Amino acid sequence: MQVFEQVESEVRSYCRNWPTVFTTAKGSRIDDEQGRSYIDFFAGAGSLNYGHNHPVLKEALLGYLAEDNVVHTLDTYSGAKRTFLETFRDVVLAPRNLDYKVQFPGPAGNNAVEAALKLARKYTGRETVVSFTNGFHGMTLGALAVTGNSMKRGGAGVPLNNAATMPYDNYMDGQTPDFLWLRSLLEDSGSGLDQPAAVIVETVQGEGGINVATHEWLRGLQDVCREHDMLFIVDDIQMGCGRTGPFFSFERSGIYPDIVTLSKSLSGMGLPFALTLMKPHLDVWEPGEHNGTFRGFAPAFVTATAALETFWRNDDFTAGVDRDAAWLDAELADIAASHAELGIATRGRGLARGMVFDNPEHAGQVCKEAFANGLLMETSGAEDEVVKFLPPLTTSRADFEEGVDIVREAVATVEKEAAAKGTA
Amino acid sequence: MQVFEQVESEVRSYCRNWPTVFTTAKGSRIDDEQGRSYIDFFAGAGSLNYGHNHPVLKEALLGYLAEDNVVHTLDTYSGAKRTFLETFRDVVLAPRNLDYKVQFPGPAGNNAVEAALKLARKYTGRETVVSFTNGFHGMTLGALAVTGNSMKRGGAGVPLNNAATMPYDNYMDGQTPDFLWLRSLLEDSGSGLDQPAAVIVETVQGEGGINVATHEWLRGLQDVCREHDMLFIVDDIQMGCGRTGPFFSFERSGIYPDIVTLSKSLSGMGLPFALTLMKPHLDVWEPGEHNGTFRGFAPAFVTATAALETFWRNDDFTAGVDRDAAWLDAELADIAASHAELGIATRGRGLARGMVFDNPEHAGQVCKEAFANGLLMETSGAEDEVVKFLPPLTTSRADFEEGVDIVREAVATVEKEAAAKGTA
Amino acid sequence: MQVFEQVESEVRSYCRNWPTVFTTAKGSRIDDEQGRSYIDFFAGAGSLNYGHNHPVLKEALLGYLAEDNVVHTLDTYSGAKRTFLETFRDVVLAPRNLDYKVQFPGPAGNNAVEAALKLARKYTGRETVVSFTNGFHGMTLGALAVTGNSMKRGGAGVPLNNAATMPYDNYMDGQTPDFLWLRSLLEDSGSGLDQPAAVIVETVQGEGGINVATHEWLRGLQDVCREHDMLFIVDDIQMGCGRTGPFFSFERSGIYPDIVTLSKSLSGMGLPFALTLMKPHLDVWEPGEHNGTFRGFAPAFVTATAALETFWRNDDFTAGVDRDAAWLDAELADIAASHAELGIATRGRGLARGMVFDNPEHAGQVCKEAFANGLLMETSGAEDEVVKFLPPLTTSRADFEEGVDIVREAVATVEKEAAAKGTA
Amino acid sequence: MQVFEQVESEVRSYCRNWPTVFTTAKGSRIDDEQGRSYIDFFAGAGSLNYGHNHPVLKEALLGYLAEDNVVHTLDTYSGAKRTFLETFRDVVLAPRNLDYKVQFPGPAGNNAVEAALKLARKYTGRETVVSFTNGFHGMTLGALAVTGNSMKRGGAGVPLNNAATMPYDNYMDGQTPDFLWLRSLLEDSGSGLDQPAAVIVETVQGEGGINVATHEWLRGLQDVCREHDMLFIVDDIQMGCGRTGPFFSFERSGIYPDIVTLSKSLSGMGLPFALTLMKPHLDVWEPGEHNGTFRGFAPAFVTATAALETFWRNDDFTAGVDRDAAWLDAELADIAASHAELGIATRGRGLARGMVFDNPEHAGQVCKEAFANGLLMETSGAEDEVVKFLPPLTTSRADFEEGVDIVREAVATVEKEAAAKGTA
């Protein structure tokens, strides 16, 4: 691993917790070059909802590439793009009665966020965007300004402006009514908050610690937006594509965002791909006003189309996620209850789940122990106090059980060590 | 093409000039679904230096994918990444005596630029970055602030700050000594320019109109940076990977930038991929301080490695580019000379070349005429007054000749029409 | 009054409510050119705490000017400045055990605020300043960014940044614990609030609607500042110089701000004058780093010195303010109680008092009616819903009674009209 | 002087060069408490064009104050304000065919500049303001962003944005045509300069080093503004009120600025007072959109009116300034010529004049030597390389001669010392 340490920048991070070299992967499993197999409950930070190298998607990709179909097309028309657009319209938008125009803003989630923010500001002629505590939207300058994490914000090297942070659902432990602060600011012309262009929110904050906004809170937020003429942007990059059950994470909340961002699992196989969706009247872009080199990466159109066809033509996939989520939730609650000394809370929606440890160190220790026993999981939250579960949605019950067993053992080990050290 | 018009955002642009649906592509040729074959002198805006679907790269990619190697790895260690890093070190850096650390900043060029700007500001503790007239660095908020184009800047919806624009080489037609203005500002404590963190520059401005900085000017700029303690960033996203002959476009200028960005042709096959290179002492990132989902897209490592092995183990490829560039330059000069009434100037370096028309409309008409006759070319420059040639570097002489013949005819046609209308 | 309408900018405002031409003034009375005498409960928006043309101050000023003493001295040393500094030290600072260095930042309150903000940012190396809902600190760009009023903010023409607005005491009607939001933001590294340089606060918000911060809240705010390493700035421009009883409005709160701004009544006679006070270790200014033309307006030193000598050598003046405040409070409460149909609340501290009307129009009508009957009062608050009482602190009981009688009648009239219109 | 050192902030600066305590002053002379009399060629940095305590102005002021006329009136109508407005209209505006609305923006020059910038941005809906190298416009955040001095800019503690610095007349020693850079930026949609709201310029830069813009250059700048739809703001705070001969410094340039700022000598006696003048169609302020406590300081109206009546009813005063300026110019040129070893250039317009020393230290030494011999003068320029002459315009020939003799001796002494040290 010497070349990594010698040549790669110090900015690398996941590799520091998982110091091995990965080679092959399939479904919910990934192998390293020593031939060790790991269960992957991290799934590319939510980019591999259908698992590694799903055979149907892989087949579609290999077929496309083998026949010398065009790979890189900028925003010219290609057959692959047409098929994707038609499928996205027919399989995703139409059945849900969602009327959105589709923008290909660039290959990464931050491109989708930057396009959303630019469009919201351009459309409204206003600058301020409301974001939420512990929100995560990306590392480019516009996206970083609406991201909460102070370490990452510090990397900007310039003040991050034109944004205002507000409390996410339950941020103040129920000690204050929902939206009291935001509404007060908006309704009071002396509040110091300039009329915002938009709010940007995740329905469940993954990087922020698996913080779940209730459906009621999301509807309330939409109400505030409607009443105060702010665009409502849902960043569904991590929670979309079925992570919480339905395709969009907001479907069950009864809301209809003005702008939606998608990426991560959209291509279905981990290929860079992102979308910005906007209600048709918001599509005020000039031709070419936002551009970029990798907006027409056809292989991603192909695998994304295959994923839509395979998983989203009917509700079976969602039903499966719901079932697995209920099972996993019960298992994690059981682990938490069995180790009350560690002070573990569980939370989540769908297959985005978290175990929150009173002592953040324990969360890290559990992940370390899990890795030693063949399971990949990461911490999240401002203090890295949450063990985050983002398993592939296609994980078999057997793999689930094996993974949960490793977690159970890891928690037991950490509890034992904590008891020995007196830190529990 | 109805679905594009109904579902895709108005922001789409290239497709408006080339209203057809592309399907397959190989080398310098791309075909549409009517079976029409086009010579491609656009090459994905410089992302396809080795042509479409180069057989060696394709083979490597298919092989990698077929064996269920890992596709999406964030910044964990993978075998594909190790091989890429070793190859990049051995084939690119070491032979050129360039000592750089390598950062994978995200899949797009704008990610590489954002990381470069953040690092320069963090390292120096200063905010201002000097950019140049008609520079192009990307659409995310940080990159957009150092980009010249007013239409694209207008899309930001917020003031673009912490940047200062300076005249690019020959911007004022030799009416003022090089760097007189920049040096005056830096040397005068009353100038109003706050001490900059860095300058960011392209050696040849592609989007800006194939404006070529002389080697002397680039060395002069490096001198100013050294004397005034500013980091020297070369954005080699479009001109790197052999576009001007050598791997880095700055090699023949005798400069050694502090930070370099690469993307576009880096993967060799049009896959999203980008790098930020920095001198080792500048690698002051905290682990995870800049992150992103698609920093470990292994297929791009694989094709990029194959491209380095195929084209860059020796100097033959560069020699070929030099030969073709000299030939193309002569051909274009001949066309220009043969149609003096249109007022055409030619310029460029390597296989980035431009024909500049006195009347910008003529540039657009030439491209339109060329498309009608089976050749893809785009305009660039602030007024779209430049016909831009970015052919694949692997273009055969036969394809070159066919393409140039189409250009010759297109210019002749435009001249005839202009004469008829009295606009020439 | 034609010349005003023809020549003066549309920005003028107070004159629109009081359409007459004022000529002479003495104590709590001001006369117009028709010979009409008004009781002045506005007092130059709190700039005339000692009344118009106080005889002792006037005498000092006339004497100084008559003898050709120096008037304009920038920041050179003058006898008048020395006397002022000595008096300020001996009469104001030393008896209160306040150790402050004194900066003359320019003639206006906004200069004092701008200097305070610059110093706080320079000292801490941070950019964000926390301000409060309905705070008012001035119209220059730095001061405006920490001011709440949206109409005034809109005049900036650029986004107002590097500031974060927080709820003032009781802003959310007791529905949330004090500082819960601010503390949450500061203690959570994922909150999106960058570590602030300082907070800036008024102990009573005059322009904001006579909102009174409790002593407990102010101490709590100081605690938050101390715990989170933020400088604590009290803007005492309107509430200082005895408006609430003691010289500094914060004396009875048991707090010791790091930086204090003073202006308005500081000169005692309405002459432009302002100070920025800072704890000695904060005095990190370079010589001349903040300058300005009117920092040494000697006549203001002279009248300010006379005011300190006349009113602040002992506690009698404060005791008088306390007495009058208690009386006025009771009178206003009585008026409110007598007209319960109008829904009037009263509030205030010292001789900064407000009558808050359920229906903001009634506040304006009361002021209009009062003007017609010879009393000057203004509305304040975000909706202009508060009738603001800022009488000279030297107002005689007879004048107080006359003024209050006019208020009583005005309220009765407004109530009658409201009843007739059915708006009460 | 102990109290100054103990109590006053380290920011004080002029007092460091003139370590004495001033007491009385009359005309061009100021005295310290040791009874020493100084000739004052500094004149409050141009605030005392009519000398200290001019008897007519003083008489008017004493008379006004003695009769208990109103002193502090915010923006209510007062008799003093009406008389001032009428006089300003009749004596200043009408005879010059200048149609301006008058705003009272606050007591200091920076208030006038802040109001001008806000108005220009509000009127145009744009953010960027073009300023010039070595320009000086004030210390508040908006004014500081268009000020060149790096030390003063550094005091802001936040990035200074929404401004673009351009070369002042002759900044690059004639090596580049006037406005080539600015025009290139404005005419090139790819330049990176966003369309500016306005330019702000001084006709002669006082703080910047007595840099004189030619009439031709100012007309050229006005042409650029007209052609490119930018408002043309002349900051006449230091050069107005006769400093260069006519009332406005721009009268002889044949230009008609859109917005003009005035302050410093406007009150005539050193009282804080400032105006922002705007062409009537630009007066788009909402009532109260820009406010401030000391916008109605009646004593300044009174002395300003007296000054207009005394000096500006006819052209005699201007003619006198012209005569004295020609004489002083010749004297300084003679001194420079007599000490060629020191490398002294002279420049200026009217009675704003400078001696520029090759070695900046010599400028400081000349001022120090002059002070020792009873003459107050300051250095200016980015390197403090310019001895600045801003004598009262009412200086008698006898005082002028005495002052110039001191300069002559001071230069001789410095030359001698330089020769001895070998620094000349």
Side-chain angles (χ1 to χ4, degrees), chain A residues 7 9-11 13-14 22-23 33 58 68 70 75 77 82 102 114 118 141 152 264 283 288 293, chain B residues 7 9-11 13-14 22-23 33 58 68 70 75 77 82 102 114 139 141 152 264 283 288 293:
Chain A
V7 180
S9 163
E10 293 301 320
V11 81
S13 73
Y14 288 110
F22 296 108
T23 50
E33 60 183 356
K58 180 176 121 182
D68 284 332
V70 69
D75 68 359
Y77 298 145
R82 181 172 51 200
V102 174
E114 294 268 341
K118 286 163 74 170
L141 213 55
K152 297 192 193 299
K264 289 202 189 279
D283 186 18
T293 299
Chain B
V7 180
S9 163
E10 293 301 321
V11 80
S13 72
Y14 287 111
F22 295 107
T23 51
E33 60 184 355
K58 178 176 121 181
D68 284 332
V70 70
D75 68 358
Y77 299 144
R82 181 171 54 200
V102 174
E114 293 269 340
M139 290 296 103
L141 212 57
K152 297 190 191 301
K264 289 204 190 275
D283 186 19
T293 299

Side-chain angles (χ1 to χ4, degrees), chain A residues 90-102:
Chain A
D90 297 344
V91 175
V92 174
L93 298 180
R96 290 167 180 79
N97 283 316
L98 296 171
D99 190 13
Y100 286 126
K101 296 289 285 289
V102 174

Side-chain angles (χ1 to χ4, degrees), chain C residues 1 3-16 18 20-26 30 33 42 44-45 47-48 52-53 58 61-62 64-72 74-79 81-82 85-86 89 100-104 107-108 110-111 114 118 121 126-127 136 139-142 144 151-152 154-159 162 263-264 269-273 278 283 285-291 293-295 297, chain D residues 1 3-16 18 20-26 30 33 42 44-45 47-48 52-53 58 61-62 64-72 74-79 81-82 85-86 89 100-104 107-108 110-111 114 118 121-122 126-127 136 139-142 144 151-152 154-159 162 263-264 269-273 278 283 285-291 293-295 297:
Chain C
M1 297 187 296
V3 69
F4 297 113
E5 280 155 28
Q6 283 175 353
V7 180
E8 193 176 354
S9 163
E10 293 301 321
V11 81
R12 68 195 188 281
S13 72
Y14 288 110
C15 55
R16 297 174 191 265
W18 301 332
T20 192
V21 178
F22 296 107
T23 51
T24 55
K26 198 162 175 59
I30 182 168
E33 60 184 355
F42 175 58
S47 298
L48 295 164
H52 292 271
N53 291 315
K58 176 176 123 182
L61 177 58
L62 288 171
Y64 187 82
L65 290 168
E67 289 166 23
D68 284 333
N69 284 296
V70 70
V71 166
H72 181 284
L74 281 156
D75 69 358
T76 61
Y77 299 145
S78 68
K81 186 174 175 178
R82 181 170 55 200
L85 279 172
E86 288 169 350
R89 179 191 61 194
Y100 287 127
K101 297 289 284 292
V102 174
Q103 178 179 3
F104 302 96
N110 52 53
N111 300 122
E114 293 268 341
K118 287 163 73 171
R121 287 168 171 147
R126 304 178 209 132
E127 290 95 2
F136 183 95
M139 291 294 104
T140 50
L141 211 57
L144 191 52
M151 190 261 276
K152 296 190 193 301
V158 291
N162 300 306
S263 183
K264 290 204 189 276
M269 250 188 83
L271 283 63
F273 190 29
M278 68 208 72
D283 186 18
W285 288 114
E286 295 292 315
E289 194 172 2
H290 178 99
N291 65 10
T293 299
F294 298 112
R295 289 168 298 147
F297 180 45
Chain D
M1 296 188 297
V3 71
F4 297 113
E5 281 155 28
Q6 282 174 354
V7 180
E8 193 176 354
S9 163
E10 293 301 321
V11 80
R12 68 196 189 279
S13 73
Y14 288 111
C15 56
R16 296 172 191 267
W18 301 331
T20 192
V21 178
F22 296 107
T23 51
T24 55
K26 199 162 175 54
I30 183 168
E33 60 184 353
F42 175 59
S47 300
L48 296 164
H52 292 270
N53 291 315
K58 179 176 121 181
L61 178 58
L62 289 171
Y64 187 82
L65 291 169
E67 291 167 20
D68 284 332
N69 285 297
V70 70
V71 166
H72 181 284
L74 282 156
D75 67 359
T76 61
Y77 299 144
S78 68
K81 187 174 173 177
R82 180 171 54 200
L85 278 172
E86 288 168 349
R89 179 192 60 194
Y100 287 126
K101 296 290 283 293
V102 174
Q103 178 179 5
F104 301 96
N110 51 54
N111 300 122
E114 293 269 342
K118 285 163 74 170
R121 286 168 171 147
K122 176 183 164 72
R126 305 179 210 132
E127 291 95 1
F136 183 95
M139 292 295 102
T140 51
L141 213 56
L144 192 52
M151 189 262 276
K152 296 190 192 302
V158 291
N162 300 307
S263 183
K264 290 203 189 277
M269 249 188 83
L271 281 64
F273 191 29
M278 67 208 73
D283 186 18
W285 287 115
E286 295 292 315
E289 194 173 2
H290 177 101
N291 65 10
T293 299
F294 298 112
R295 289 169 298 146
F297 180 45

Side-chain angles (χ1 to χ4, degrees), chain D residues 388-399:
Chain D
K388 185 170 62 173
F389 294 78
L390 294 173
L393 310 181
T394 53
T395 303
S396 69
R397 186 56 58 92
D399 280 350

